[in-house]
Amino acid sequence: MELYQLKTFVAVADEGNLSRAAERLFLSQPAVSAQIKALEEELGVILFARTPKGMEPTPAGRVLRDRAEATLRSADDFLHQARSLNGRLTGSFRLGHNTDPEFLRLSRLTQAVSQEHPGISLELLISNSGEIRHDLDSGRLDAGYIYGESPHPSVETALLTRSRLVLVLPPQWNAECRSEPLERLAARPWLWAPPDCPFHRAIASYVEERSVTPNKVLAANDENMLVALLKAGKGACFLRLDRAEALAARGEGQIWEGGGLEISVRLAWAARRSADPLVAAVRACVRRVWDLPAESA
């Protein structure tokens, strides 16, 4: 029995679906199915009942799921303890970023980590807030930047800053649209974010509070894609104020004059790895780069 099999078992139990578990673990669905089958054969226990709705843990599966998670936590604790005894932190650190590196101060972070922990090798991976939560759970990422609040109890976060979101209109629209009421703009094409994106939840609340139903024509979970679609005249969208101002200065977008909303920018990591010296070290560097006080002991 291998730890990766236990991780797969927990993922399937949590998701209740082979395909979602496969996405979470970055494996093929046949690979996940084969691992579950091999684990069941080795244990001599049926872990799941295959139903039309998905994978339902059996009574034995529910009991063993908790034991599997405890085993994985113990393995993490073992690794944390070993790293704390090492004296000099070493290893690769996979950090997901959900927006442009300049805004997240990634250049300053790489320099800080290199100076303070030369044994840590940073690997920067572009992603989005929704995917980062799953990547933290699966272990594909060690930490990541997200918008909004903590997406799940399994994820802890540190607030870095709050960013203002404003509605940006395509440059092709007439200038008078900048002062139009939101109700009138809602009939025009809008670009949106998918449901698992914090932008979606924040913006949906904003328009619902104003009893407005936008004409959503396209959805994208990547800010750069939204900007490209905006510049092409496909629709209006909400963007961070700094990006909106840069677009407006180049004549590539227009900022609506009716106001905006705020969203938090956070560093996130798996709660089970909160005491991991590697995670704690990079977390401390991020806080210094953002001029935040050190974590209390």
Side-chain angles (χ1 to χ4, degrees), residues 97-161:
H97 59 101
N98 64 339
T99 189
D100 48 298
E102 294 80 8
F103 176 77
L104 294 176
R105 309 181 185 185
L106 292 184
S107 179
R108 289 174 57 186
L109 177 65
T110 56
Q111 184 177 8
V113 172
S114 177
Q115 291 177 346
E116 298 176 33
H117 305 285
I120 297 178
S121 174
L122 275 182
E123 182 179 355
L124 303 177
L125 302 171
I126 183 67
S127 187
N128 61 69
S129 298
E131 291 178 358
I132 283 172
R133 176 245 153 158
H134 294 294
D135 291 345
L136 294 173
D137 282 344
S138 69
R140 182 175 183 265
L141 290 178
D142 299 296
Y145 296 91
I146 65 170
Y147 289 119
E149 306 304 312
S150 176
H152 193 267
S154 65
V155 174
E156 293 183 356
T157 67
L159 175 65
L160 303 179
T161 188

Side-chain angles (χ1 to χ4, degrees), residues 19 35 37 41 43 45 76 84 93-94 104 119 126 137 143-144 157 166 183 186-187 193 199 208 236 253 256 262 276:
S19 61
Q35 288 184 24
K37 182 179 179 181
E41 291 176 351
L43 298 176
V45 173
D76 283 339
S84 67
F93 192 96
R94 293 156 297 181
L104 294 176
I126 183 67
D137 282 344
T157 67
V166 294
E183 295 79 5
F199 268 36
E208 286 170 7
W256 179 59
E262 283 194 346
D276 185 332

Side-chain angles (χ1 to χ4, degrees), residues 231-292:
K231 289 162 62 175
K234 301 300 182 182
C237 65
F238 276 89
L239 295 172
R240 288 197 327 266
L241 178 59
D242 59 299
R243 297 197 80 165
E245 289 177 336
L247 287 169
R250 297 193 298 267
E252 297 174 341
Q254 309 178 69
I255 299 176
W256 179 59
E257 298 169 355
L261 64 151
E262 283 194 346
I263 194 167
S264 61
V265 181
R266 297 172 178 271
L267 180 72
W269 60 92
R272 68 177 187 276
R273 297 190 58 194
S274 187
D276 185 332
L278 203 62
V279 175
V282 173
R283 200 163 66 222
C285 287
V286 170
R287 295 186 71 87
R288 282 192 285 276
V289 163
W290 284 86
D291 302 316
L292 299 173

